[in-house]
Amino acid sequence: MSPPLLKLGAVLSTMAMISNWMSQTLPSLVGLNTTKLSAPDTLTQISPKEGWQVYSSAQDPDGRCICTVVAPEQNLCSRDAKSRQLRQLLEKVQNMSQSIEVLNLRTQRDFQYVLKMETQMKGLKAKFRQIEDDRKTLMTKHFQELKEKMDELLPLIPVLEQYKTDAKLITQFKDEIRNLSAVLTGIQEEIGAYDYEELHQRVLSLETRLRDCMKKLTCGKLMKITGPITVKTSGTRFGAWMTDPLASEKNNRVWYMDSYTNNKIVREYKSIADFVSGAESRTYNLPFKWAGTNHVVYNGSLYFNKYQSNIIIKYSFDLGRVLAQRSLEYAGFHNVYPYTWGGFSDIDLMADEIGLWAVYATNQNAGNIVISQLNQDTLEVMKSWSTGYPKRSAGESFMICGTLYVTNSHLTGAKVYYSYSTKTSTYEYTDIPFHNQYFHISMLDYNARDRALYAWNNGHQVLFNVTLFHIIKTEDDT
């Protein structure tokens, strides 16, 4: 699945911080910072044709200077094709600078400060949209290609909200951005001094290094759920849709399973775009009907609960046949221990960064939730944890980094109310609300690759973004 679509809701969480950085840095970045203010809050009369001008300055609560800049009018007729390419590349580097600066700011600010900035983000997003609409005539083929690359980077930035980063690595990024910005500024003064493709490669290199930094993120604790983003409206009130968390970046297949019973048909789509448009690539007729909506696709295979049994089935999409099946010992089934909404949701299969899991209840544990880690090949239970939370009181549940998060309802007002860590065998009561937009949730599963929650919300297929508290590994930790 394309990261931009999956993280659209999270992009808003960083745009206010980007605005602050741009107002302080943009004039010096393009080499036009010669205008001086006589005193703070002094207004300077400017003409849009005179060049970049500082409009006002002030101090924020942290003592930093905030400047407002007015850009000069652009004259497309005076620029040739090569000039446009260089200007496009400069804008891409400026956007990269913003991403790096946001990452650096996360080392100095705590989670509470980031939350206070959300109000400003919404206004800034509207301004960006207006600017983009006003300047549509400036969009050329090369500009669009670079913009799409940056759109792929932007969803990576919100994930870094709570992180403490490696200071040396950030310093290196900042220095390289400054150097590249200086080169581009020089090129604006003397067109043709550098090769466009060479500079393009340097930008791509920075992109790779930023992604490498993202890979250092370790597992985190759930802090916040935002959204949802409605992807599609289809099917009955109950169902499941999912992607494979272990699939490659180029493999964005979507699987769709309508209803919680009396069905064996799985529909496959090559991409999220095909899913939205309804362009099926393939259908699978399973050998058994499924029970509930708590299925999972993991490493190319579908894992589901066989109807009217506590048997788990592993079905290979590539081979088109069952690879394994095993009874989940003592697990209740057929609405003995379902979630609050019923629907034969007794056995919930899920996956996270650690592996494959089954969540269910047994008579031996007094109807309370049991968590079992499964061998993905044989379906054998490798280890189990018995909790004290009643399965019938749970609306839905999902695993993130070996911790089970349980909601208290499937209706309006639902929130993540309880969590159990398999690492420490301890639990805690939480209070993490989320917006149940369509009033009834019958499926809620975490995807570790997309770092998002997939949900079936009363006939709507939606995505929730999650904010995790992470720790970034440094060289000394490995």
Side-chain angles (χ1 to χ4, degrees):
M1 178 174 291
S2 175
L5 288 174
L6 302 181
K7 303 299 180 182
L8 179 61
V11 171
L12 298 182
S13 67
T14 60
M15 299 194 72
M17 304 305 298
I18 296 173
S19 174
N20 186 28
W21 180 88
M22 286 175 66
S23 67
Q24 298 179 51
T25 309
L26 184 56
S28 63
L29 183 61
V30 298
L32 297 171
N33 58 348
T34 58
T35 302
K36 299 181 179 179
L37 294 177
S38 59
D41 298 324
T42 299
L43 297 180
T44 303
Q45 291 298 114
I46 56 92
S47 170
K49 297 183 179 180
E50 293 176 0
W52 288 89
Q53 297 291 336
V54 176
Y55 184 70
S56 67
S57 67
Q59 284 188 340
D60 68 6
D62 294 330
R64 288 182 299 274
C65 180
I66 301 176
C67 297
T68 302
V69 178
V70 177
E73 293 182 355
Q74 299 294 324
N75 186 352
L76 286 178
C77 296
S78 64
R79 302 298 181 94
D80 59 18
K82 192 167 186 180
S83 175
R84 288 197 298 274
Q85 290 180 336
L86 295 172
R87 184 171 64 257
Q88 295 154 11
L89 183 57
L90 176 60
E91 182 166 345
K92 178 175 176 64
V93 174
Q94 291 170 348
N95 288 338
M96 180 74 78
S97 301
Q98 298 165 20
S99 299
I100 298 301
E101 191 64 17
V102 171
L103 186 61
N104 184 51
L105 285 174
R106 294 304 183 264
T107 68
Q108 306 168 22
R109 302 182 183 188
D110 58 22
F111 175 67
Q112 294 299 325
Y113 180 82
V114 174
L115 293 181
K116 293 179 182 179
M117 301 299 293
E118 290 183 351
T119 303
Q120 299 180 28
M121 298 176 190
K122 297 179 181 178
L124 185 58
K125 180 185 177 184
K127 291 180 182 179
F128 277 5
R129 285 180 175 174
Q130 182 179 356
I131 291 173
E132 184 175 4
D133 292 339
D134 293 342
R135 301 186 64 183
K136 283 184 179 178
T137 56
L138 301 178
M139 302 288 277
T140 65
K141 179 180 179 181
H142 291 291
F143 178 85
Q144 186 62 31
E145 291 176 354
L146 294 179
K147 185 175 183 296
E148 289 174 357
K149 293 296 294 182
M150 286 307 305
D151 287 341
E152 294 179 2
L153 286 177
L154 289 177
L156 301 177
I157 303 302
V159 185
L160 302 176
E161 281 184 352
Q162 328 306 328
Y163 314 134
K164 294 181 179 180
T165 61
D166 184 346
K168 292 183 179 179
L169 180 61
I170 299 304
T171 301
Q172 293 174 3
F173 284 160
K174 291 176 65 178
D175 290 342
E176 192 156 349
I177 286 291
R178 290 193 186 101
N179 293 339
L180 193 52
S181 298
V183 170
L184 291 171
T185 303
I187 291 175
Q188 283 189 316
E189 299 173 357
E190 185 176 350
I191 300 297
Y194 292 87
D195 182 72
Y196 174 83
E197 289 301 327
E198 177 184 351
L199 292 172
H200 193 184
Q201 291 302 316
R202 292 182 65 181
V203 173
L204 295 178
S205 175
L206 285 175
E207 173 188 341
T208 301
R209 294 177 64 186
L210 180 59
R211 292 186 181 276
D212 289 341
C213 179
M214 290 292 299
K215 292 178 181 178
K216 293 185 178 182
L217 293 175
T218 61
C219 270
K221 180 179 180 180
L222 179 65
M223 302 296 293
K224 185 178 180 181
I225 300 175
T226 56
I229 301 169
T230 302
V231 177
K232 187 177 182 179
T233 300
S234 64
T236 64
R237 192 178 184 186
F238 317 96
W241 72 294
M242 65 213 81
T243 60
D244 189 345
L246 294 187
S248 65
E249 292 185 2
K250 295 182 179 180
N251 182 356
N252 295 305
R253 288 186 295 175
V254 178
W255 291 274
Y256 178 89
M257 302 170 69
D258 192 12
S259 186
Y260 65 88
T261 186
N262 199 32
N263 198 349
K264 299 192 296 180
I265 302 299
V266 180
R267 305 184 188 281
E268 180 182 286
Y269 304 83
K270 289 184 178 180
S271 66
I272 190 71
D274 285 352
F275 174 62
V276 172
S277 65
E280 295 179 21
S281 61
R282 188 174 177 182
T283 59
Y284 301 88
N285 191 353
L286 302 178
F288 310 107
K289 295 179 182 179
W290 63 72
T293 59
N294 307 117
H295 332 295
V296 65
V297 174
Y298 190 69
N299 200 21
S301 293
L302 171 68
Y303 297 81
F304 67 96
N305 176 209
K306 183 180 178 181
Y307 180 59
Q308 290 188 331
S309 75
N310 59 7
I311 296 175
I312 300 173
I313 305 293
K314 177 183 179 181
Y315 179 87
S316 170
F317 285 126
D318 292 335
L319 300 178
R321 61 183 177 87
V322 173
L323 297 184
Q325 56 180 307
R326 184 179 294 273
S327 175
L328 195 57
E329 190 174 21
Y330 304 123
F333 62 93
H334 204 61
N335 276 347
V336 174
Y337 295 119
Y339 288 128
T340 53
W341 65 275
F344 306 140
S345 57
D346 304 69
I347 298 175
D348 192 349
L349 301 172
M350 55 188 74
D352 67 355
E353 293 84 352
I354 296 176
L356 183 66
W357 305 85
V359 172
Y360 55 98
T362 65
N363 291 333
Q364 288 75 5
N365 197 37
N368 295 324
I369 289 177
V370 176
I371 308 169
S372 292
Q373 187 173 7
L374 305 180
N375 182 299
Q376 64 171 305
D377 297 321
T378 65
L379 303 179
E380 291 181 289
V381 173
M382 296 189 292
K383 187 175 180 179
S384 291
W385 294 261
S386 296
T387 77
Y389 196 92
K391 178 73 162 49
R392 283 181 165 271
S393 297
E396 276 289 341
S397 67
F398 52 90
M399 296 287 293
I400 299 179
C401 299
T403 296
L404 179 71
Y405 295 92
V406 182
T407 70
N408 63 343
S409 174
H410 64 284
L411 301 173
T412 302
K415 61 182 178 180
V416 177
Y417 181 72
Y418 175 91
S419 67
Y420 186 95
S421 171
T422 59
K423 296 179 182 178
T424 61
S425 298
T426 58
Y427 71 92
E428 65 176 328
Y429 288 96
T430 61
D431 186 6
I432 306 176
F434 61 94
H435 183 40
N436 188 348
Q437 184 170 350
Y438 302 107
F439 317 116
H440 188 287
I441 291 180
S442 59
M443 171 251 178
L444 187 65
D445 276 327
Y446 172 71
N447 186 294
R449 185 185 73 164
D450 301 330
R451 286 180 178 165
L453 294 173
Y454 284 62
W456 191 288
N457 196 182
N458 203 10
H460 302 266
Q461 293 74 53
V462 304
L463 290 171
F464 292 93
N465 183 54
V466 297
T467 299
L468 305 180
F469 179 80
H470 287 272
I471 298 175
I472 295 184
K473 292 180 179 178
T474 63
E475 298 295 334
D476 296 335
D477 296 328
T478 57

